[in-house]
Amino acid sequence: MSEPPFTIRIHTENNQDMDWMVRLEDVTFRQTLEVISSLLPHVTVTAFEYEDPEDGDHITVRSDEEMQDMFSAYFRELSEEDRTRGLFPPLIIYPKMGKTPQNRNIHGLKIKTGGGSQAVEPLPQGQQRQEVGGSIQTIMQCGNINEAQLHFLEPVGSGSGGRVYRALHRPSGRVMAVKVIQLDISPAVQKQIICELEILYKCNSRAIIAFYGAFFQENRISICTEFMDGGSLDRYMPIPETVLGGIAACIVEGLIYMWNLKIMHRDIKPSNVLLNTAGEVKLCDFGVSVQLVKSITTTFVGTNVYMAPERLQGKDYGKSAEIWSLGVTLFELASGILPFQSLTSELKLQPFQVMQCILEETPLVLPTEQFSPEFVKFISQCMHKDPETRLSINDMVNHEFLHRHTSDSSTVISLWVKRRLQEIQQQNRAPQS
Ligand code: ADP
C-alpha cells in the first residue's frame, strides 16, 4: 500500500515557512533543492537538514538515498492514531545556506504562486512580497494589492454574497480573479478577517487556488486569487467518469492538504472547484476566516444542499462532514442531478425542504450501467448518513476508485475542458430558435 500525500515544511531563517505537498514515490532530492532555491533565490543551497525524531539531532540530507532515510524515519515515528485518521503532521526541513547574499531583500516573503514543484515566481523588480505574519497595519498600508492597482476587466460570476471579476494587477502584469463582497462590519471585524485570511499565504499545493492578497475598501472586501480560465465545475455537468476520476483525485489531494494544516473547507460544492485549460483542478473558497463566513451568512442565506445531516442538525461535525459534501458534489457532477429524489430545483432554494430531504431520504445511488462499480461504491460510502460508518479519510485515500485515477490527469482534463469550452461558446453563439 502506498503512503498518502504528506507535507514537507521548508523552514526559513525568518520563519517564512513554505508548505509543500508531496507523494513519497514522486519526490526527489533534486526537486526538493529546486523548490528550496525558488523559495530562497539569493542563496546557494546544496543540502538540507531534518530533526532526528528520536534524539532531536539535526541530520543532513545530500542525496536521494539520505532523503529516503529521512522519509523512513518520518513514517516510522507517525503515531497509529495519525495514521488511522489519515492526517500527517508536516515533515520540517531546514535548508543549509551555502552563501550569504549581498543584496538580500529582508522583506522577501516567499509565497506560493506556482503549483507543485514549480518555481515560485519572482515578483518584478522593486516589488516586495507580502510579509507573512506582518501586522495588519503593514497589510493595510503597504500590502501588495490595493484597489487603485487593479484594472477590472469583466465579471466572471457571482455567488453567495459577492461578485467575481477578472482583473489585471497593473504593477505585476498578473491577471487575477477578484471576489468583491459588500460587508457592513466594524473596522475591528475587518481587521480580524484580514488576519484570519493570512494563513492562505502559507498554502502551497497544486490543488489549492493561489492567494495573492485581500483588502478592505470602504464597506467591501476584495479577495484576489489565481484566475482559472475554465471557471467552476458547475457549468460542465454532467462530467464523464473518465474525466471526473482525475478531478476527484485533485479535490481529495486539496482537502487532505488543508486538513493537514487543520483547516476545514466548510463549503465543498461544484462551484467551489475551479479548473483551467492546462488541466489543473483547484479548490477555492476555504472557510479559513470564521469571521468572514459569519459576516457573509448573517447577511446572505447560503444554500445548504451539500451539507451533511449532522451539520444540519446542529451537532458537532468534523472532516467526515466534508466527505459527505464530497459525495454529494461528485454525484451531482457525474449525473447532473442531486442525490435526493424529491429535491427539485425549485425546492433547492427552500432551506426547510432541503433539510427535510437530506435528513429523511436515503441518498440515491448512481446507475451501475453508466458508471464503474468502484465509483458508485465510493460515492455511496461518502453519503452514509451516520458519520461513524461513512468512508474514513484513510479509506478514502486508499479507495480503489482513486487508485485508478491519479491527480496527474492534467492532459485528459485539459483536452476535455478545451473541447467543452468550445462547445459552450458555440451554443452561446447559436441563434435562439
Ligand atoms: P459561490 O458563492 O457559489 O461559491 P463564488 O462567488 O465564489 O461562488 O464564485 C462565483 C463564480 O465565479 C464561480 O462559480 C466561478 O464561475 C467564478 N470564479 C470564482 N473564482 C474564480 C477564479 N479564481 N477564477 C475564475 N473564475 C472564478
Side-chain angles (χ1 to χ4, degrees):
M1 195 170 70
S2 67
E3 297 288 1
F6 62 101
T7 303
I8 294 182
R9 176 166 295 166
I10 303 169
H11 182 80
T12 59
E13 276 171 347
N14 38 9
N15 284 333
Q16 294 170 350
D17 302 359
M18 181 171 101
D19 284 337
W20 175 39
M21 190 165 204
V22 296
R23 273 194 170 273
L24 188 57
E25 56 275 25
D26 296 338
V27 62
T28 63
F29 175 69
R30 226 190 102 221
Q31 200 183 18
T32 310
L33 287 188
E34 278 168 15
V35 174
I36 294 174
S37 70
S38 69
L39 184 62
L40 302 166
H42 306 296
V43 286
T44 312
V45 176
T46 52
F48 53 86
E49 295 179 336
Y50 67 100
E51 221 167 75
D52 185 342
E54 276 168 22
D55 54 20
D57 282 353
H58 273 218
I59 302 175
T60 305
V61 176
R62 287 191 199 80
S63 64
D64 275 320
E65 213 178 11
E66 287 175 349
M67 190 147 140
Q68 284 313 316
D69 293 341
M70 173 179 82
F71 290 143
S72 306
Y74 169 74
F75 282 106
R76 217 174 26 244
E77 282 303 308
L78 277 182
S79 71
E80 218 26 68
E81 196 194 333
D82 277 346
R83 267 188 184 280
T84 322
R85 286 159 64 221
L87 293 178
F88 300 86
L91 164 59
I92 305 172
I93 61 171
Y94 307 83
K96 284 189 82 163
M97 310 293 174
K99 189 167 74 187
T100 313
Q102 302 286 306
N103 276 328
R104 188 129 180 232
N105 169 11
I106 54 153
H107 296 295
L109 162 70
K110 317 305 179 294
I111 52 168
K112 178 264 176 193
T113 51
S117 62
Q118 285 165 16
V120 174
E121 283 170 42
L123 284 180
Q125 276 259 303
Q127 252 214 268
Q128 285 182 358
R129 292 192 191 275
Q130 185 74 55
E131 190 175 353
V132 161
S135 68
I136 291 301
Q137 217 49 7
T138 315
I139 289 169
M140 297 294 213
Q141 290 179 352
C142 49
N144 273 345
I145 305 174
N146 60 50
E147 200 159 280
Q149 297 172 333
L150 292 173
H151 173 56
F152 285 84
L153 299 165
E154 75 262 332
V156 288
S158 55
S160 48
R163 240 172 189 240
V164 181
Y165 299 85
R166 191 167 73 93
L168 174 71
H169 178 240
R170 287 201 196 89
S172 64
R174 184 181 277 150
V175 171
M176 301 178 170
V178 182
K179 183 167 177 171
V180 184
I181 308 170
Q182 304 275 343
L183 290 173
D184 292 312
I185 49 176
S186 68
V189 178
Q190 290 187 357
K191 278 188 183 184
Q192 193 184 340
I193 291 174
I194 293 287
C195 218
E196 287 174 341
L197 288 175
E198 260 186 43
I199 192 165
L200 290 174
Y201 279 123
K202 287 201 171 194
C203 295
N204 174 27
S205 159
R206 60 179 181 177
I208 305 293
I209 207 84
F211 175 70
Y212 298 140
F215 58 88
F216 271 96
Q217 173 113 6
E218 292 159 13
N219 65 342
R220 55 185 187 274
I221 184 172
S222 299
I223 303 170
C224 309
T225 59
E226 177 179 11
F227 176 73
M228 298 289 276
D229 63 356
S232 48
L233 286 183
D234 47 330
R235 66 194 298 200
Y236 298 98
M237 298 189 289
I239 302 175
E241 187 186 328
T242 43
V243 178
L244 192 50
I247 292 177
C250 294
I251 301 178
V252 168
E253 182 176 321
L255 287 174
I256 299 275
Y257 176 83
M258 294 306 266
W259 292 342
N260 280 335
L261 297 181
K262 308 216 175 335
I263 299 171
M264 297 245 294
H265 190 291
R266 297 177 206 276
D267 197 14
I268 300 165
K269 57 183 179 180
S271 67
N272 280 339
V273 185
L274 303 169
L275 77 178
N276 62 20
T277 46
E280 294 175 308
V281 178
K282 305 189 184 214
L283 293 177
C284 69
D285 267 359
F286 272 84
V288 287
S289 167
V290 176
Q291 196 50 257
L292 180 61
V293 173
K294 234 196 228 165
S295 306
I296 293 176
T297 45
T298 50
T299 320
F300 307 94
V301 180
T303 159
N304 48 20
V305 280
Y306 305 92
M307 276 188 194
E310 65 272 22
R311 195 171 161 189
L312 289 174
Q313 287 168 318
K315 295 183 186 163
D316 279 348
Y317 65 92
K319 295 179 190 72
S320 59
E322 311 256 78
I323 295 179
W324 167 281
S325 308
L326 174 70
V328 178
T329 298
L330 291 177
F331 185 101
E332 190 183 19
L333 289 172
S335 64
I337 58 166
L338 286 164
F340 308 100
Q341 199 147 26
S342 40
L343 200 54
T344 56
S345 44
E346 300 89 71
L347 287 185
K348 209 175 147 177
L349 297 172
Q350 298 182 19
F352 181 72
Q353 269 80 354
V354 168
M355 191 137 117
Q356 214 172 17
C357 291
I358 297 174
L359 296 182
E360 287 171 16
E361 285 181 24
T362 305
L364 298 173
V365 176
L366 283 176
T368 40
E369 318 80 65
Q370 286 174 38
F371 300 98
S372 72
E374 296 83 13
F375 185 39
V376 174
K377 199 162 133 200
F378 182 85
I379 292 189
S380 296
Q381 290 173 329
C382 288
M383 292 192 296
H384 274 205
K385 283 222 170 112
D386 178 0
E388 293 295 316
T389 62
R390 203 172 290 153
L391 200 64
S392 68
I393 300 176
N394 210 18
D395 290 343
M396 174 176 76
V397 172
N398 291 303
H399 201 280
E400 46 200 328
F401 167 63
L402 288 186
H403 271 209
R404 287 201 290 116
H405 302 275
T406 66
S407 51
D408 248 332
S409 314
S410 53
T411 315
V412 178
I413 298 172
S414 165
L415 288 172
W416 173 81
V417 76
K418 283 182 193 155
R419 187 171 52 75
R420 288 289 292 118
L421 282 174
Q422 262 177 3
E423 285 169 5
I424 293 170
Q425 222 172 30
Q426 276 160 8
Q427 275 163 12
N428 290 344
R429 265 199 237 117
Q432 306 286 316
S433 53

